[in-house]
Coordinates of all heavy atoms in Angstrom, one line a residue:
E1 N 119.3 -23.5 34.9 CA 118.9 -24.1 36.2 C 120.1 -24.5 37.0 O 120.0 -24.6 38.3 CB 117.9 -25.2 36.0 CG 116.6 -24.8 35.5 CD 115.7 -26.0 35.1 OE1 116.0 -27.1 35.5 OE2 114.7 -25.7 34.3
N2 N 121.2 -24.8 36.4 CA 122.4 -25.3 37.1 C 123.2 -24.2 37.7 O 124.1 -24.4 38.5 CB 123.3 -26.1 36.1 CG 122.7 -27.4 35.7 OD1 122.0 -28.0 36.5 ND2 123.0 -27.9 34.5
R3 N 122.9 -22.9 37.3 CA 123.6 -21.8 37.7 C 122.9 -20.9 38.8 O 123.6 -20.2 39.6 CB 124.0 -20.9 36.5 CG 124.7 -21.5 35.4 CD 125.1 -20.5 34.3 NE 125.3 -21.1 33.1 CZ 125.1 -20.5 31.9 NH1 124.5 -19.3 31.9 NH2 125.4 -21.2 30.8
I4 N 121.6 -20.9 38.7 CA 120.8 -19.9 39.5 C 119.4 -20.5 39.7 O 118.9 -21.2 38.9 CB 120.8 -18.5 38.8 CG1 120.3 -17.4 39.7 CG2 120.0 -18.6 37.5 CD1 120.4 -16.0 39.1
E5 N 118.8 -20.1 40.8 CA 117.4 -20.5 41.1 C 116.6 -20.0 39.9 O 116.6 -18.8 39.5 CB 116.9 -19.9 42.4 CG 115.5 -20.3 42.7 CD 114.9 -19.6 44.0 OE1 115.7 -19.0 44.7 OE2 113.7 -19.8 44.2
T6 N 115.8 -20.9 39.4 CA 115.0 -20.6 38.1 C 113.6 -21.0 38.3 O 113.3 -22.0 38.8 CB 115.7 -21.4 36.9 OG1 117.0 -21.1 36.8 CG2 115.0 -21.1 35.6
E7 N 112.7 -20.2 37.7 CA 111.3 -20.5 37.8 C 110.7 -20.1 36.4 O 111.2 -19.2 35.8 CB 110.6 -19.7 38.9 CG 109.2 -20.3 39.2 CD 108.8 -20.0 40.6 OE1 109.6 -19.4 41.4 OE2 107.6 -20.2 41.0
Y8 N 109.6 -20.7 36.0 CA 109.0 -20.5 34.8 C 107.5 -20.0 35.0 O 106.8 -20.6 35.8 CB 109.0 -21.7 33.8 CG 110.3 -22.2 33.6 CD1 110.9 -23.2 34.4 CD2 111.0 -21.8 32.5 CE1 112.2 -23.7 34.1 CE2 112.3 -22.3 32.2 CZ 112.9 -23.2 33.0 OH 114.2 -23.7 32.8
V9 N 107.1 -19.0 34.2 CA 105.7 -18.5 34.3 C 105.2 -18.5 32.8 O 105.9 -18.1 31.9 CB 105.7 -17.1 34.8 CG1 104.3 -16.5 34.6 CG2 106.1 -17.1 36.3
F10 N 104.0 -18.9 32.7 CA 103.4 -19.0 31.3 C 102.6 -17.7 31.1 O 101.7 -17.3 32.0 CB 102.5 -20.2 31.1 CG 103.3 -21.5 31.2 CD1 103.0 -22.4 32.3 CD2 104.2 -21.8 30.3 CE1 103.7 -23.6 32.4 CE2 104.9 -23.0 30.4 CZ 104.7 -23.9 31.4
Q11 N 102.8 -17.1 29.9 CA 101.9 -15.9 29.5 C 100.8 -16.5 28.8 O 100.8 -16.5 27.5 CB 102.7 -14.9 28.8 CG 101.9 -13.6 28.5 CD 102.7 -12.6 27.7 OE1 103.8 -12.7 27.4 NE2 102.0 -11.5 27.5
D12 N 99.8 -16.9 29.5 CA 98.5 -17.5 28.9 C 97.5 -16.4 28.6 O 97.3 -15.5 29.4 CB 97.9 -18.5 29.8 CG 98.7 -19.8 29.9 OD1 99.4 -20.1 29.0 OD2 98.6 -20.4 31.0
M13 N 97.0 -16.4 27.4 CA 96.0 -15.4 27.0 C 94.8 -15.4 27.9 O 94.2 -14.3 28.1 CB 95.6 -15.6 25.5 CG 96.5 -15.2 24.5 SD 95.8 -15.1 22.9 CE 95.4 -16.8 22.6
D14 N 94.5 -16.5 28.5 CA 93.3 -16.6 29.3 C 93.5 -16.1 30.8 O 92.6 -16.2 31.6 CB 92.7 -18.0 29.3 CG 92.2 -18.4 27.9 OD1 91.8 -17.5 27.2 OD2 92.2 -19.6 27.6
N15 N 94.8 -15.8 31.1 CA 95.1 -15.3 32.4 C 94.8 -13.8 32.5 O 95.6 -13.0 32.3 CB 96.6 -15.5 32.7 CG 97.0 -15.1 34.2 OD1 96.1 -14.8 35.0 ND2 98.2 -15.0 34.4
L16 N 93.5 -13.6 32.9 CA 93.0 -12.2 32.9 C 92.3 -11.9 34.3 O 92.0 -12.8 35.0 CB 91.9 -12.0 31.8 CG 92.3 -12.2 30.4 CD1 91.1 -12.1 29.4 CD2 93.4 -11.2 30.0
P17 N 92.2 -10.6 34.6 CA 91.5 -10.3 35.8 C 90.1 -10.8 35.8 O 89.5 -11.1 34.8 CB 91.5 -8.7 35.8 CG 92.7 -8.4 34.9 CD 92.8 -9.4 33.9
E18 N 89.6 -11.0 37.0 CA 88.3 -11.6 37.2 C 87.2 -10.8 36.4 O 87.2 -9.6 36.4 CB 87.9 -11.7 38.6 CG 86.6 -12.4 38.9 CD 86.3 -12.6 40.4 OE1 87.2 -12.2 41.2 OE2 85.2 -13.0 40.8
G19 N 86.4 -11.6 35.7 CA 85.3 -10.9 34.9 C 85.6 -10.7 33.4 O 84.7 -10.3 32.7
F20 N 86.8 -11.0 33.0 CA 87.2 -10.8 31.6 C 87.5 -12.2 30.9 O 88.0 -13.1 31.6 CB 88.4 -9.9 31.5 CG 88.1 -8.5 32.0 CD1 88.4 -8.1 33.3 CD2 87.5 -7.6 31.1 CE1 88.1 -6.8 33.7 CE2 87.3 -6.3 31.5 CZ 87.5 -5.9 32.8
V21 N 87.1 -12.3 29.7 CA 87.4 -13.5 28.9 C 88.0 -13.1 27.6 O 87.7 -12.1 26.9 CB 86.0 -14.2 28.6 CG1 86.2 -15.4 27.7 CG2 85.3 -14.5 29.9
T22 N 89.0 -13.9 27.2 CA 89.7 -13.7 25.9 C 88.8 -14.0 24.7 O 88.2 -15.1 24.7 CB 91.0 -14.6 25.9 OG1 91.8 -14.2 26.9 CG2 91.7 -14.3 24.5
P23 N 88.7 -13.2 23.7 CA 87.9 -13.5 22.5 C 88.5 -14.7 21.9 O 89.7 -14.9 21.8 CB 88.1 -12.3 21.6 CG 88.5 -11.2 22.6 CD 89.3 -11.8 23.7
I24 N 87.6 -15.6 21.4 CA 88.1 -16.8 20.7 C 89.0 -16.6 19.6 O 90.0 -17.3 19.3 CB 86.8 -17.6 20.3 CG1 86.0 -18.1 21.5 CG2 87.3 -18.9 19.4 CD1 84.7 -18.8 21.1
E25 N 88.8 -15.5 18.9 CA 89.6 -15.2 17.6 C 90.9 -14.6 17.9 O 91.8 -14.5 17.0 CB 88.8 -14.2 16.7 CG 87.4 -14.8 16.3 CD 86.3 -14.4 17.3 OE1 86.7 -13.9 18.4 OE2 85.1 -14.6 16.9
R26 N 91.2 -14.2 19.1 CA 92.5 -13.6 19.4 C 93.6 -14.6 19.3 O 93.5 -15.7 19.8 CB 92.6 -12.9 20.8 CG 93.8 -12.1 21.0 CD 93.8 -11.3 22.3 NE 95.1 -10.6 22.5 CZ 95.4 -9.4 22.2 NH1 94.4 -8.6 21.7 NH2 96.5 -8.8 22.4
Q27 N 94.7 -14.2 18.7 CA 95.8 -15.2 18.3 C 97.1 -15.0 19.2 O 97.9 -15.8 19.2 CB 96.2 -15.1 16.9 CG 95.1 -15.4 15.9 CD 94.6 -16.9 16.0 OE1 95.5 -17.8 16.1 NE2 93.4 -17.2 16.1
K28 N 97.2 -13.8 19.9 CA 98.5 -13.6 20.5 C 98.2 -13.0 21.9 O 97.2 -12.6 22.3 CB 99.3 -12.5 19.8 CG 98.6 -11.2 19.6 CD 99.5 -10.2 18.8 CE 98.9 -8.9 18.6 NZ 99.7 -8.0 17.8
P29 N 99.3 -13.1 22.8 CA 99.1 -12.6 24.2 C 98.8 -11.1 24.2 O 98.9 -10.5 23.2 CB 100.5 -13.0 24.8 CG 101.0 -14.1 24.0 CD 100.6 -13.8 22.6
W30 N 98.7 -10.6 25.4 CA 98.2 -9.2 25.6 C 99.3 -8.2 25.7 O 99.0 -7.0 26.0 CB 97.2 -9.2 26.8 CG 96.0 -10.0 26.6 CD1 95.8 -11.3 27.0 CD2 94.8 -9.6 26.0 NE1 94.5 -11.7 26.7 CE2 93.9 -10.6 26.1 CE3 94.3 -8.4 25.4 CZ2 92.5 -10.6 25.6 CZ3 93.0 -8.3 24.9 CH2 92.2 -9.4 25.0

């Protein structure tokens, strides 16, 4: 962050297109 403009994005399993839901049993991102 001291060297260059920095931003963070989370790869959340539940970040899916509208109408889709992550199965409860899934353990890892997509």
Side-chain angles (χ1 to χ4, degrees):
E1 290 170 18
N2 291 329
R3 300 184 201 150
I4 191 171
E5 181 183 350
T6 304
E7 196 157 354
Y8 301 90
V9 169
F10 297 114
Q11 186 177 2
D12 289 332
M13 281 195 296
D14 294 331
N15 181 13
L16 300 176
E18 188 174 349
F20 294 94
V21 178
T22 300
I24 295 175
E25 299 89 350
R26 189 174 176 98
Q27 298 295 314
K28 61 180 180 179
W30 295 92

